[in-house]
Amino acid sequence: MKTKNLNFLFAFIAVLLFCFSCFCISRMNQINNQLIICRNHILEFKENMLRLKNKSENNRQNLVQILNQMKHEVPQKGKSSGNLFEKKVSTLSENEILSNRFEVLKFFFPHLRTARKIYPNIAISKEKAGVSFALGITTINRKNHTYLKQTLTSVLSRMTPKEKKDSVVIVSVADTDEGYLNFVVDMVKTKFKRQVQSGSLEVISIPTFFYPSILLEKKPSEDPVSWQIKQLLDFCILMLYAQPKATYYLQLEDDIIAKNMYFTEMRDFVNNLTSKDWLYVQFSVLGFIGKLFRSKDLIDFVHFFLMFYKVKPIDMLLDDIFLVKVCNWGEPLKKCIKRKKEVQIQYEPSLFQHVGIQSSFPGRNQYLKVRSWNGTLVT
């Protein structure tokens, strides 16, 4: 009887072990199947990521191709003068094709894509080109404060006759108030007759349609970001206009004065630079004042500024373009910054002083000065 019960117990245990083994095998198969499914999902995810990466790379290459195509769109050479010059839009016939540097604006500002012709309005111009230096000055209406006459007097009077022949000063009126444009034109024609007649001084204005509607709807005094974006766009438009006129482009503002013999110092310094790898030369430490570029590089600078026009002011983007163009992938930042002086050349002492107190931003006073100016300390 005992043996029979013991055999029954062993049989029962054997059945339990068999059932448990079957259960374990079944669970292991399920887990294995889940692992296979999971692995397949991971492989599928990796394939999707690879496809997205390839698509992104293709898009990047297409963008680079488009930008390069825009970069190489240059105006036709004028046979009569032998100098590179773009005709005024007002003189073009409807069937004439214009290779226009300003077409790049359509890429960044969709509202311009329906415009037939994108070009500043020409108020005063003798179509001077083929010079060594173009000096660009943007100006807006500061209501009861104006420094433009003082700035132009300083910039023009401190050139020699030979230097005036080899340069062109361009004033860009970046204000939607037509009354201010008329004021600037009348002042320039009255106070600077000889420079106007010789073609050394030009006045252009930026049409309202250039600006996105958001910049026109918001008052700059209520929206500093809109003011910052408009300022960047104003500078870019002036750069694009000046680009074919000269070998070098110098950015100034409408509330500065120039040091005596500034043009001679600037010309001699640039002509004696031994390195060909510089990005720009700083003839002033303040903001965007006194920054000199090679005209052939201006299109690249404009492209970069427009890509990040919502992110930072234009003077801060100058440092960023240094990091992008000069620093190598994976290179320590400190090591890269050591090369900064080689590509961002600082001329000392500053050739230009900021004199405006009433800022172009409404309601703001600006007391920024170059502390070392003409050998004296400015307090």
Side-chain angles (χ1 to χ4, degrees):
M1 185 71 179
K2 251 184 198 182
T3 303
K4 187 176 180 180
N5 289 338
L6 190 61
N7 289 337
F8 178 78
L9 178 62
F10 281 134
F12 180 73
I13 292 173
V15 171
L16 285 177
L17 289 173
F18 176 76
C19 292
F20 180 73
S21 298
C22 292
F23 173 77
C24 289
I25 292 172
S26 176
R27 287 296 299 164
M28 287 177 66
N29 288 333
Q30 290 179 4
I31 293 172
N32 186 52
N33 291 335
Q34 289 176 352
L35 289 173
I36 292 172
I37 293 172
C38 182
R39 185 189 65 179
N40 291 336
H41 282 312
I42 291 173
L43 291 174
E44 184 180 358
F45 176 75
K46 289 175 70 175
E47 290 176 0
N48 289 335
M49 290 299 295
L50 184 60
R51 271 198 303 270
L52 289 173
K53 180 181 178 181
N54 292 335
K55 186 176 180 181
S56 177
E57 179 64 20
N58 290 334
N59 290 337
R60 187 190 71 80
Q61 292 177 358
N62 290 335
L63 176 60
V64 170
Q65 185 178 1
I66 292 171
L67 291 178
N68 287 335
Q69 184 179 355
M70 291 177 176
K71 177 180 177 180
H72 293 296
E73 288 180 353
V74 294
Q76 296 295 323
K77 288 188 176 180
K79 292 183 180 179
S80 59
S81 63
N83 296 323
L84 199 60
F85 177 73
E86 186 172 275
K87 296 181 180 180
K88 286 190 283 184
V89 170
S90 58
T91 65
L92 295 175
S93 65
E94 290 185 0
N95 297 324
E96 189 171 1
I97 298 175
L98 177 64
S99 179
N100 197 338
R101 298 174 307 284
F102 290 87
E103 290 295 309
V104 67
L105 297 175
K106 293 183 178 180
F107 187 82
F108 298 97
F109 299 100
H111 74 282
L112 291 175
R113 292 172 187 170
T114 57
R116 283 186 62 247
K117 298 171 184 175
I118 305 178
Y119 202 74
N121 293 326
I122 311 299
I124 299 174
S125 176
K126 293 290 185 179
E127 304 182 352
K128 189 175 183 179
V131 295
S132 295
F133 293 89
L135 289 69
I137 301 173
T138 58
T139 183
I140 66 168
N141 189 359
R142 303 180 193 230
K143 305 305 178 184
N144 297 326
H145 300 80
T146 179
Y147 307 99
L148 181 60
K149 180 183 172 183
Q150 179 185 12
T151 295
L152 289 176
T153 300
S154 173
V155 168
L156 292 167
S157 67
R158 290 168 181 175
M159 293 182 187
T160 65
K162 185 177 179 180
E163 289 167 348
K164 290 177 183 176
K165 288 182 180 180
D166 196 30
S167 63
V168 57
V169 177
I170 307 163
V171 177
S172 175
V173 180
D175 201 296
T176 55
D177 180 9
E178 190 173 343
Y180 183 65
L181 172 62
N182 295 333
F183 164 78
V184 172
V185 170
D186 291 342
M187 183 270 290
V188 167
K189 287 182 176 179
T190 303
K191 302 297 181 181
F192 303 97
K193 285 183 180 179
R194 281 184 295 177
Q195 289 84 354
V196 169
Q197 291 171 357
S198 67
S200 296
L201 180 58
E202 298 186 3
V203 178
I204 64 172
S205 66
I206 302 177
T208 304
F209 76 83
F210 268 68
Y211 302 111
S213 59
I214 189 172
L215 298 185
L216 302 174
E217 293 169 357
K218 294 184 178 181
K219 295 181 180 180
S221 58
E222 299 173 356
D223 186 14
V225 175
S226 294
W227 172 80
Q228 170 186 308
I229 292 174
K230 180 182 178 299
Q231 185 186 55
L232 184 148
L233 182 55
D234 292 339
F235 281 130
C236 288
I237 293 170
L238 180 52
M239 287 178 170
L240 291 173
Y241 174 79
Q243 191 266 339
K245 288 181 169 290
T247 305
Y248 300 102
Y249 174 79
L250 178 70
Q251 183 65 60
L252 299 175
E253 295 186 8
D254 65 347
D255 56 351
I256 59 97
I257 57 173
K259 180 183 176 182
N260 288 324
M261 301 295 291
Y262 81 94
F263 195 96
T264 304
E265 289 188 38
M266 175 180 68
R267 182 198 61 211
D268 291 346
F269 182 78
V270 172
N271 289 339
N272 291 324
L273 286 174
T274 55
S275 172
K276 302 295 183 182
D277 298 327
W278 55 273
L279 287 176
Y280 62 91
V281 182
Q282 300 187 88
F283 289 103
S284 172
V285 296
L286 300 179
F288 211 53
I289 299 170
K291 304 301 183 283
L292 182 127
F293 308 87
R294 284 175 289 214
S295 294
K296 67 183 181 66
D297 297 334
L298 282 178
I299 303 297
D300 289 339
F301 276 98
V302 169
H303 287 170
F304 187 83
F305 295 149
L306 292 177
M307 277 192 280
F308 302 101
Y309 73 94
K310 293 181 180 180
V311 180
K312 292 182 180 179
I314 192 168
D315 53 332
M316 294 180 67
L317 288 175
L318 277 177
D319 284 330
D320 293 340
I321 200 171
F322 155 74
L323 297 175
V324 171
K325 291 182 75 70
V326 177
C327 296
N328 298 319
W329 176 257
E331 180 183 17
L333 184 59
K334 288 183 178 180
K335 183 179 178 181
C336 177
I337 290 178
K338 286 182 179 179
R339 302 202 305 273
K340 188 173 183 179
K341 289 183 179 180
E342 300 174 7
V343 295
Q344 290 179 307
I345 300 174
Q346 178 66 57
Y347 179 86
E348 294 180 346
S350 293
L351 297 183
F352 305 97
Q353 176 65 287
H354 182 260
V355 295
I357 295 177
Q358 176 63 46
S359 170
S360 57
F361 183 83
R364 177 189 295 173
N365 290 336
Q366 177 65 271
Y367 298 99
L368 198 61
K369 301 279 186 182
V370 177
R371 292 189 62 79
S372 178
W373 172 249
N374 283 344
T376 60
L377 186 67
V378 179
T379 57

